[in-house]
Amino acid sequence: MLCVDLKNGFYQLPDVHRGLYDLNCSNLDEEILNSSTKIQTIQEEKIPSNEFFSDLVKQELLIDDDSEKINIAEKVYNLDNDVKIWSDFLKARFHPRTITSIDEYKHNDSSNVFNNFAQGLGLWDSYIMKETWTDNLRLYAEECDYLQGFHISMDSLNGFGGLACKALEYLKDEYSNKTIIAMPVLSDNYILEDENSELQAVNTSLLFSSLFEHSTMFVPLTTSSGGWIKSQSHLNLDYLSYKNNLDYHSSAILASAIDTFTLGYRSRFGNDSMQTMCTRLTPLGRKAVSASIQLPLGFESKSNLLDYLQNSTLPLWKPISPQCTTEMSVAQTIVLRGITENMLYSNNLIRDSKNPSHHCTSPSDLLKLFLSFCDHVRMTEVHSFDSSLETIAPFPNIFSQSINQHGFVESSSRSSTSVVAKCAAISGLHNSNSMRDMFIALKNDSSKVKGSKLSHMFNYDIDVMDYKETLENLLVLSDNYLINDCL
């Protein structure tokens, strides 16, 4: 993993993961400290650790003391008011070369806002990105035994889009035979309802046009239906009560989807690869695909997959891509997790030799058969995995009380002191004709922006002709989704 963020984006890491990260680049030389010169030191206020991080540190310090060991997996945390940024709940320890800090901009700096696609383009030529980031990437790639390709996710509504596009250009040049899957994320919380809010559509247009050129496939992700415009309509999932105004909540849903729909080529038990999946999902230049999720599955604790499918309401999933649906798809990949073979049928089932659903031997077979009857898609690939989605801390406490500790629906309420440790989920990627509607809407919203508002962006590395070409590219992209019989 290579993670790029603004200054102060990693402020919790040195304190929590002691000795692993050294992100303080302002150390004074010992020679200066020992001199008689008077030095005035201005230090930013230290951010206190939240309850989860405090327990994480205690768990590591008391690892050999059984009497005081803290079980984070069984404790219920409420971090809604404590989490401001992703590093406020990062449990994983990454290698130090993972971290790349952009010191030209700071988080929540109203005087120097990183909200312009072209700002990201300009940052690529800095030493940190051109030398440090590319060297770290090369070292990681050399350590790989079998490098399938790259995932790259980025904020889409600000300068990170431009920075990511430059990184994609580099990957395409240096690793031309590798698959690149891009996942632009659109957070409704970045869209301010002011006179510059329309620029979010401009940033997104420039990004999507570049992703079409430099990625193998890209999957826009959001829990807000508006995508690049402020919307009051958000993803609604049964048995989940999340706050869309908290990225801590919405990012957990999107991360769960990514973790699920990529299992087919990430798992050692999977029989797919990044390249074959992308080839299957992107016929005739249809590089943009939509994603879906159903979390939790809504599976009753004593039920079985056959009964669940027969009684379910279609579709089985909800879209998490902006202004599009998963209907009218020409190809799709579906991943089901957390349902094992012994959960296929009821123990009282009387087998009917003429019923094909009674002869399936795996959850993937049964689900694929079900979809072949009710979801008219030319090509559907289905994978199933026994492993459930882990939802212990720092996963937010967003599950309904009717979901038990194992992620299944119960008639009785779960105790407020118990956590949902895991749950079944279904997620997919869909090459849907509705992506045409998304591109047209994006082009129309971007065309409304007046030249006076674009002048700041044109002061960087983008001119009027570049922008007009971008809008034309969006129309070309949308035309790819007019073809129905493309397989």
Side-chain angles (χ1 to χ4, degrees), residues 110-123:
S110 57
S111 61
N112 188 23
V113 183
F114 190 57
N115 64 350
N116 189 320
F117 182 91
Q119 288 174 312
L121 297 180
L123 271 181

Side-chain angles (χ1 to χ4, degrees), residues 117-165:
F117 182 91
Q119 288 174 312
L121 297 180
L123 271 181
W124 178 257
D125 292 325
S126 66
Y127 175 83
I128 287 179
M129 293 301 298
K130 264 296 184 60
E131 302 297 332
T132 305
W133 188 87
T134 54
D135 284 348
N136 289 339
L137 173 66
R138 177 179 50 80
L139 290 171
Y140 272 134
E142 290 175 352
E143 293 172 357
C144 292
D145 294 325
Y146 173 54
L147 178 61
Q148 291 193 61
F150 303 92
H151 290 167
I152 178 166
S153 59
M154 73 291 289
D155 288 339
S156 302
L157 305 178
N158 51 34
F160 281 109
L163 190 59
C165 286

Side-chain angles (χ1 to χ4, degrees), residues 133-293:
W133 188 87
T134 54
D135 284 348
N136 289 339
L137 173 66
R138 177 179 50 80
L139 290 171
Y140 272 134
E142 290 175 352
E143 293 172 357
C144 292
D145 294 325
Y146 173 54
L147 178 61
Q148 291 193 61
F150 303 92
H151 290 167
I152 178 166
S153 59
M154 73 291 289
D155 288 339
S156 302
L157 305 178
N158 51 34
F160 281 109
L163 190 59
C165 286
K166 283 293 186 179
L168 279 166
E169 289 181 25
Y170 177 83
L171 290 175
K172 190 174 182 180
D173 290 340
E174 295 295 321
Y175 303 90
S176 57
N177 62 335
K178 302 301 181 184
T179 304
I180 299 175
I181 299 178
M183 289 171 276
V185 179
L186 301 93
S187 172
D188 194 59
N189 301 317
Y190 288 150
I191 304 175
L192 301 178
E193 296 180 292
D194 57 16
E195 66 277 5
N196 293 321
S197 62
E198 294 172 328
L199 292 179
Q200 314 292 350
V202 176
N203 287 332
T204 306
S205 294
L206 291 165
L207 174 62
F208 282 12
S209 178
S210 181
L211 292 180
F212 177 73
E213 181 179 358
H214 297 115
S215 68
T216 310
M217 180 178 76
F218 67 98
V219 190
L221 298 172
T222 183
T223 57
S224 174
S225 60
W228 50 87
I229 59 176
K230 201 74 173 178
S231 173
Q232 300 300 319
S233 177
H234 306 126
L235 175 70
N236 181 25
L237 292 174
D238 298 332
Y239 307 107
L240 276 194
S241 178
Y242 78 101
K243 301 174 183 177
N244 197 71
N245 64 318
L246 296 180
D247 287 329
Y248 172 50
H249 285 191
S250 58
S251 65
I253 296 172
L254 298 182
S256 299
I258 295 173
D259 189 71
T260 301
F261 66 63
T262 59
L263 273 177
Y265 57 83
R266 287 195 303 110
S267 171
R268 67 183 63 185
F269 303 109
N271 55 2
D272 216 345
S273 70
M274 291 180 69
Q275 183 178 12
T276 55
M277 187 191 75
C278 289
T279 301
R280 185 172 62 246
L281 284 175
T282 57
L284 297 181
R286 298 169 63 136
K287 285 190 175 183
V289 301
S290 63
S292 65
I293 184 71

Side-chain angles (χ1 to χ4, degrees), residues 406-454:
H406 303 291
F408 297 117
V409 179
E410 286 279 10
S411 56
S412 58
S413 296
R414 184 182 79 258
S415 169
S416 59
T417 59
S418 63
V419 66
V420 177
K422 59 182 180 179
C423 72
I426 190 170
S427 183
L429 296 174
H430 315 261
N431 195 313
S432 168
N433 291 343
S434 69
M435 300 300 285
R436 169 177 167 81
D437 299 331
M438 181 193 72
F439 284 120
I440 292 177
L442 179 57
K443 189 265 181 184
N444 291 339
D445 290 335
S446 301
S447 301
K448 297 176 184 177
V449 183
K450 298 180 180 179
S452 57
K453 290 187 178 182
L454 297 172

Side-chain angles (χ1 to χ4, degrees), residues 337-356:
R337 67 187 308 175
I339 303 298
T340 59
E341 289 185 9
N342 59 5
M343 301 166 67
L344 281 178
Y345 307 110
S346 168
N347 293 330
N348 301 323
L349 177 69
I350 300 175
R351 302 292 180 112
D352 183 355
S353 59
K354 297 181 180 181
N355 190 333

Side-chain angles (χ1 to χ4, degrees), residues 5-116:
D5 204 351
L6 306 183
K7 188 177 181 180
N8 291 355
F10 310 98
Y11 52 65
Q12 292 282 12
L13 301 189
D15 294 328
V16 178
H17 303 299
R18 301 177 187 276
L20 185 59
Y21 306 106
D22 182 14
L23 302 175
N24 183 11
C25 301
S26 60
N27 292 330
L28 299 174
D29 293 334
E30 186 177 351
E31 181 180 347
I32 298 177
L33 288 173
N34 293 333
S35 68
S36 59
T37 306
K38 292 183 178 180
I39 300 173
Q40 182 182 8
T41 302
I42 301 176
Q43 188 170 0
E44 294 182 347
E45 182 181 356
K46 190 173 181 179
I47 307 297
S49 293
N50 56 51
E51 183 183 7
F52 170 70
F53 270 167
S54 298
D55 287 349
L56 192 63
V57 172
K58 292 177 183 178
Q59 187 183 55
E60 294 181 351
L61 293 176
L62 304 174
I63 195 69
D64 296 325
D65 190 345
D66 294 334
S67 62
E68 298 186 53
K69 187 175 292 186
I70 299 172
N71 193 342
I72 291 177
E74 296 181 358
K75 185 173 180 179
V76 178
Y77 293 90
N78 184 7
L79 305 178
D80 292 0
N81 297 324
D82 299 327
V83 168
K84 307 299 180 184
I85 199 170
W86 63 272
S87 60
D88 284 337
F89 58 90
L90 179 65
K91 180 180 179 180
R93 286 189 170 198
F94 300 120
H95 193 282
R97 79 165 78 112
T98 287
I99 304 299
T100 302
S101 178
I102 300 298
D103 294 334
E104 288 87 343
Y105 299 91
K106 294 171 59 177
H107 273 287
N108 301 321
D109 186 354
S110 57
S111 61
N112 188 23
V113 183
F114 190 57
N115 64 350
N116 189 320

